Amino acid sequence: KAQKALEKLGVVVMCDTLVTNVCEDGVFIGSEFISASTVIWAAGNQASPLLAKLNMPCDRQGRVIVEPDLSIAGYDNIFVIGDAASCKGKDGKPLFGLAPVAKQQGIHVAKIIKNNIPKNARKPFRYFDKGSLATIGKGKAVGVIGKVQLSGFIAWLAWSFIHILYLMGFTNRILVLVQWLYSFLTGRRKVQLIVRPVDKEHLKF
């Protein structure tokens, strides 16, 4: 669904391809060269180099491998959470470095610190997956909540509602809601996003 929506906007989606080199003139996909004056890289980021200075075991991304209670080996009173921590989920795979994971980890560690729970009495951290939603344009989104898959306008409404729900403060929620309604109804907004196919004639200066 996301790929089809992007292709309607004129985006060429290339799956199962490996970028082998990035230079000032473009990128190489294997031996194929794609000329580009602007390249935006948004994947494969390494963890903060500060973590390497801890001299603790790290995974391939440079994240510190933590104990089940989110402490680090040999130090019961030092915790690492969020995208700096390599923490395994129920399936044995490392959890993603996303805000929902970090938020739940923060609550887990805060309870341990507040109640001064000793190492042998701590419960292991268990992430509760509430689902994932991502917007891909005006009135378009995709999402997975449990076994339910959403797409299109309904997914976009769900994304908008949840996004506003988790904002801090009632005033912020109302402000964002009004701004979004204005942008949706008028098509005007301060942030410039491509929401429809681009006419190449309009790109000429």
Side-chain angles (χ1 to χ4, degrees):
K1 293 287 186 177
Q3 180 173 340
K4 289 180 179 179
L6 291 172
E7 288 173 344
K8 287 182 179 179
L9 297 176
V11 178
V12 178
V13 180
M14 303 174 66
C15 298
D16 300 320
T17 56
L18 181 66
V19 175
T20 55
N21 189 25
V22 180
C23 61
E24 62 182 6
D25 299 320
V27 296
F28 283 90
I29 308 294
S31 59
E32 178 185 357
F33 178 72
I34 299 177
S35 177
S37 58
T38 302
V39 177
I40 301 173
W41 184 269
N45 294 328
Q46 288 291 109
S48 170
L50 177 65
L51 300 174
K53 297 182 179 180
L54 297 178
N55 294 322
M56 300 301 299
C58 297
D59 63 7
R60 289 193 302 174
Q61 288 182 287
R63 301 180 301 179
V64 175
I65 299 175
V66 297
E67 299 283 294
D69 64 344
L70 302 178
S71 65
I72 58 178
Y75 298 90
D76 299 347
N77 61 337
I78 299 178
F79 303 88
V80 180
I81 64 174
D83 57 5
S86 178
C87 176
K88 294 182 179 180
K90 295 179 181 179
D91 56 0
K93 297 180 180 179
L95 296 171
F96 293 107
L98 301 175
V101 177
K103 184 177 180 180
Q104 292 184 31
Q105 289 177 334
I107 294 173
H108 180 84
V109 171
K111 289 180 179 179
I112 293 175
I113 296 174
K114 180 181 178 180
N115 299 312
N116 197 24
I117 302 175
K119 177 77 173 181
N120 57 2
R122 297 173 187 171
K123 295 181 179 179
F125 171 73
R126 291 289 181 265
Y127 173 61
F128 176 67
D129 188 0
K130 298 179 181 179
S132 299
L133 289 163
T135 180
I136 50 176
K138 183 179 180 181
K140 303 183 185 72
V142 291
V144 177
I145 303 175
K147 295 183 179 180
V148 179
Q149 296 184 356
L150 304 173
S151 63
F153 188 70
I154 294 178
W156 183 79
L157 285 177
W159 176 87
S160 301
F161 174 77
I162 293 175
H163 185 91
I164 292 174
L165 182 66
Y166 278 94
L167 289 176
M168 297 294 291
F170 179 77
T171 303
N172 287 336
R173 294 171 186 166
I174 295 298
L175 182 62
V176 171
L177 179 60
V178 171
Q179 290 177 339
W180 282 4
L181 285 175
Y182 174 78
S183 299
F184 185 81
L185 296 175
T186 65
R188 300 176 182 176
R189 57 185 300 160
K190 294 180 180 179
V191 179
Q192 299 299 312
L193 297 177
I194 299 173
V195 296
R196 55 183 175 272
V198 177
D199 185 353
K200 293 183 179 180
E201 292 296 323
H202 293 163
L203 297 178
K204 295 180 179 180
F205 295 96

